[in-house]
């Protein structure tokens, strides 16, 4: 209600003085606030409308004052939020276009070198764009984006090794690049193991640095999930179970902070490792728990939709995967990390 009043007052100010750039910027802030609230309410369509309205105002202002760094950063943030909302809606091609536009806006700021905060934003958007490319199945483009983000994070960390967020960005990009190496075959299994273990050590250091951070613990758990998958690929089922159980325990310890998507993926992976070790009943129990987390939920991410389709097959309920499979096909979802069917190796 307060943000809606803010919007109405901002509109009235602009009506009183249509050429006042400060009032136009105030209105863009009002749209951004409402967009954030709409996303929290899981209404990505409304969020997209607000973020795009704010971006249109900011772009018009930037055309008049192209050297305004703060305005350029604000436009990039509105564009990236639009991209995130489009991912929520399963509109991957449009999301890619928004993230790419945000990256172009930020490139000027990053290359100027005037503010490391701007370079951090540039790296963030590079990674978000890479994640969309990966969901689209564009592995080479995804690799380029993750490499770009990793390089910028690494350069930032060299200036301030104590900055945990910059270090985290580098760790995440390194983990994603290791996963891409699996998909593209550019590294031998031993090299992939080494990269994942390096990412794991990186997150362990962050957890020690910020012991109260549940986000870092969650990052560490998801890295352990990937180590479990890699151990299973390499024919080490006992080690795979150990990694998967460790990941599940970490997420249980951070239950309130753990995202549903992460819990579903970890439980599914734990089930796969148990099945590979000849424990089908235990595997079914983990898969059922994961499936129940998503049961009846309409507002799920594309990755969750793919997981739910896989889980339905694993539990002998392939008919219940129909709606998710249709949604993924409409979205152009082709992420080889998260195939909706079971034809790809686990």
């Amino acid at each position: 209600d307060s943000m809606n009043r803010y919007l109405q007052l901002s509109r009235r100010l602009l009506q009183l003085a249509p050429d006042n750039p400060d009032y136009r910027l105030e209105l863009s802030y009002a749209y951004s606030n409402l967009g954030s609230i709409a996303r929290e309410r899981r209404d990505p369509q409304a969020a997209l409308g607000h973020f795009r309205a704010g971006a249109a105002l900011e772009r018009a202002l930037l055309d008049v004052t192209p050297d305004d760094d703060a305005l350029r950063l604000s436009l990039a943030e509105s564009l990236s939020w639009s991209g995130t909302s489009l991912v929520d809606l399963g509109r991957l091609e449009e999301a890619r276009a928004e993230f790419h536009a945000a990256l172009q806006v930020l490139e000027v700021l990053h290359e100027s070198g005037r503010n490391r905060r701007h370079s951090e934003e540039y790296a963030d958007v590079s990674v978000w764009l890479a994640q969309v490319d990966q969901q689209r199945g564009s592995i080479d483009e995804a690799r380029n984006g993750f490499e770009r983000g990793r390089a910028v994070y690494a350069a930032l960390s060299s200036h301030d090794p104590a900055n945990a967020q910059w270090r985290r960005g580098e760790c995440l990009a390194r983990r994603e690049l290791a996963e891409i190496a699996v998909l593209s075959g550019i590294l031998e299994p031993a090299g992939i193991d080494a990269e994942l273990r390096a990412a794991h050590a990186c997150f362990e250091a962050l957890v020690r640095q910020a012991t109260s951070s549940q986000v870092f613990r969650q990052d560490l758990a998801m890295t352990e999930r990937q180590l479990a998958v890699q151990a299973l690929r390499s024919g080490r089922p006992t080690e795979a179970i150990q990694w998967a159980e460790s990941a599940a325990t970490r997420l249980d310890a951070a239950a309130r902070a753990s995202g549903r998507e992460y819990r579903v993926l970890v439980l599914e992976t734990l089930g796969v490792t148990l099945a590979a070790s000849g424990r089908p009943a235990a595997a079914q129990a983990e898969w059922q728990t994961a499936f129940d987390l998503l049961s009846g939920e309409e507002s799920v991410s594309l990755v969750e939709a793919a997981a739910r389709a896989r889980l339905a097959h694993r539990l002998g309920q392939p008919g219940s995967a129909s709606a998710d499979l249709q949604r993924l096909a409409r979205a152009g979802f082709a992420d080889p990390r998260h195939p909706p069917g079971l034809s790809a190796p686990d």
Side-chain angles (χ1 to χ4, degrees):
D1 291 341
S2 296
M3 292 307 172
N4 273 314
R5 287 195 295 273
Y6 177 20
L7 177 70
Q8 297 306 319
L9 287 170
S10 299
R11 283 174 171 167
R12 187 173 179 190
L13 281 172
L14 196 56
Q15 288 172 351
L16 293 171
D19 296 327
N20 188 311
D22 290 336
Y23 293 170
R24 286 184 180 274
L25 193 59
E26 206 70 47
L27 183 56
S28 77
Y29 294 156
Y31 280 125
S32 179
N33 290 332
L34 285 170
S36 297
I37 290 172
R39 274 206 84 234
E40 287 295 321
R41 289 178 165 175
R42 296 189 178 183
D43 187 355
Q45 188 63 56
L48 177 62
H50 291 312
F51 289 131
R52 280 185 162 172
L57 288 164
E58 290 159 346
R59 193 178 287 281
L61 287 169
L62 192 63
D63 287 342
V64 178
T65 55
D67 296 329
D68 188 331
D69 286 0
L71 182 58
R72 183 173 290 275
L73 181 64
S74 186
L75 171 58
E77 289 176 339
S78 293
L79 290 169
S80 65
W81 277 118
S82 295
T84 300
S85 299
L86 285 161
V87 171
D88 293 339
L89 290 165
R91 292 156 60 179
L92 294 179
E93 290 296 330
E94 293 175 78
R96 187 187 194 283
E98 293 291 298
F99 283 127
H100 186 260
L103 196 67
Q104 289 182 311
V105 170
L106 287 166
E107 190 170 22
V108 175
L109 295 176
H110 167 62
E111 291 185 349
S112 74
R114 289 191 292 270
N115 189 322
R116 293 191 182 111
R117 164 89 165 83
H118 298 162
S119 292
E120 178 186 3
E121 289 277 344
Y122 181 75
D124 287 344
V125 174
S126 293
V127 168
W128 297 334
L129 176 59
Q131 289 170 340
V132 171
D133 280 330
Q134 201 155 8
Q135 289 197 8
R136 293 168 57 248
S138 301
I139 300 304
D140 288 341
E141 290 177 320
R143 182 192 301 113
N144 291 337
F146 285 127
E147 284 283 11
R148 181 171 55 241
R150 187 203 60 76
V152 175
Y153 288 132
L156 288 169
S157 293
S158 70
H159 289 290
D160 183 4
N163 188 308
Q165 288 305 316
W166 293 349
R167 185 65 175 146
R168 176 183 185 246
E170 185 181 359
C171 297
L172 285 170
R174 185 168 192 173
R175 187 182 73 195
E176 295 297 331
L177 285 166
E179 197 165 12
I180 284 179
V182 172
L183 302 172
S184 55
I186 60 175
L187 277 180
E188 294 297 318
I192 294 166
D193 280 343
E195 285 298 303
L196 286 175
R197 288 176 185 275
H200 187 265
C202 185
F203 285 122
E204 279 189 317
L206 286 174
V207 168
R208 288 194 298 271
Q209 180 179 340
T211 55
S212 63
S213 172
Q214 301 298 346
V215 173
F216 295 158
R217 293 179 186 278
Q218 183 172 276
D219 292 333
L220 184 57
M222 295 308 292
T223 306
E224 290 176 341
R225 172 189 172 267
Q226 289 190 4
L227 281 162
V229 172
Q230 181 59 20
L232 202 57
R233 287 193 190 105
S234 302
R236 306 191 305 270
T238 301
E239 180 187 334
I241 289 178
Q242 292 170 348
W243 283 121
E245 286 180 338
S246 178
T249 299
R250 288 187 194 282
L251 291 186
D252 284 342
R256 292 183 180 177
S258 297
R260 181 181 62 193
E261 179 179 303
Y262 301 132
R263 293 182 63 77
V264 166
L265 292 175
V266 165
L267 289 171
E268 181 193 17
T269 299
L270 178 55
V272 171
T273 63
L274 290 166
S277 299
R279 298 165 62 185
Q284 289 282 317
E286 298 296 342
W287 293 334
Q288 188 65 58
T289 300
F291 188 76
D292 289 345
L293 288 173
L294 300 172
S295 182
E297 291 285 344
E298 294 183 7
S299 179
V300 299
S301 69
L302 292 175
V303 171
E304 287 174 326
R308 186 161 60 185
R310 289 193 305 275
L311 289 163
H313 281 275
R314 296 188 193 282
L315 294 168
Q317 306 171 31
S320 65
S322 176
D324 284 323
L325 292 174
Q326 291 175 15
R327 180 190 173 202
L328 292 166
R330 288 194 303 269
F333 185 86
D335 192 330
R337 301 169 303 168
H338 305 292
L342 301 182
S343 57
D346 292 311

